[in-house]
Amino acid sequence: ARQTGNARYFGDGGCERIKSCAVFCAKRHKRQAAFLQSGRNGIAKIGFFRAFGYSLFITVFSVLAIVLGSAMTAWFLVRVRGRFTGFLYYLFVFSMIVPFQMVMFTMSKMANLLHLENPIGILLLYLGFGAGLSIFMFSGFVRGVPRAIEEAAEIARKLQARIYEKCQLTASAGVSYNK
């Protein structure tokens, strides 16, 4: 047998290195195919894409609900002064102090009783847990915005919803992005 380059040639013209490489590649291909097939089977059995869709829905809409709902609630609690609004504000602040581990068992029991074990129910639960901190942050921001801006909009005869949208919601975008 004579040696040329990377392969050993024999008299019959066969290539030992190419044959061994072909056998190795065939075994490797079978392992990869089996791995990919088991991955496809696993994804199909557990319903991966359905679960991913639920997670995406819950994440997007719970963040939207927390940001918009908390911003409006904080604006109301700061701009409308009274005993009731003060009580509500401190109730939301108190919800930040209570650790999740204290609430977890009771919350899961109530969620089962109220049939909230679906994406909409989870969204409501997320809103309940995320609202305290968001209202606290947004109310701190709203206290820093002068009332004169809203009064100027009232003089220009804007609707209350448009005043809130133009004056408070656009200005509070920085608070919601910095969480």
Side-chain angles (χ1 to χ4, degrees), residues 159-176:
L159 293 174
Q160 193 68 28
R162 295 293 285 175
I163 293 171
Y164 171 77
E165 176 191 350
K166 294 295 183 185
C167 298
Q168 293 293 336
L169 199 57
T170 55
S172 67
V175 174
S176 56

Side-chain angles (χ1 to χ4, degrees), residues 66-67 70-71 74 134-142 172 175-176 179:
I66 288 171
V67 168
S70 298
S134 297
I135 288 172
F136 178 71
M137 290 175 64
F138 278 116
S139 64
F141 173 79
V142 171
S172 67
V175 174
S176 56
K179 282 189 180 179

Side-chain angles (χ1 to χ4, degrees), residues 41-174:
N41 290 342
I43 287 173
K45 282 183 183 177
I46 65 170
F48 175 78
F49 293 110
R50 182 177 175 196
F52 181 77
Y54 282 153
S55 295
L56 188 66
F57 172 81
I58 290 168
T59 302
V60 168
F61 287 106
S62 66
V63 167
L64 283 174
I66 288 171
V67 168
L68 293 176
S70 298
M72 288 188 278
T73 304
W75 179 81
F76 178 78
L77 294 176
V78 169
R79 294 298 187 218
V80 179
R81 290 300 208 172
R83 284 185 179 173
F84 181 68
T85 57
F87 172 76
L88 278 179
Y89 174 75
Y90 286 113
L91 190 66
F92 283 118
V93 170
F94 179 72
S95 73
M96 293 188 317
I97 297 169
V98 178
F100 176 73
Q101 291 82 0
M102 288 182 66
V103 183
M104 183 174 54
F105 180 74
T106 310
M107 182 225 24
S108 62
K109 185 74 171 165
M110 289 301 293
N112 285 336
L113 287 174
L114 298 174
H115 304 291
L116 294 177
E117 60 268 346
N118 55 42
I120 301 293
I122 304 252
L123 192 142
L124 292 173
L125 294 173
Y126 277 12
L127 179 62
F129 280 114
L133 177 63
S134 297
I135 288 172
F136 178 71
M137 290 175 64
F138 278 116
S139 64
F141 173 79
V142 171
R143 282 190 184 100
V145 175
R147 259 183 205 241
I149 294 174
E150 294 176 23
E151 291 170 356
E154 285 178 16
I155 291 171
R157 295 185 179 205
K158 295 282 185 183
L159 293 174
Q160 193 68 28
R162 295 293 285 175
I163 293 171
Y164 171 77
E165 176 191 350
K166 294 295 183 185
C167 298
Q168 293 293 336
L169 199 57
T170 55
S172 67

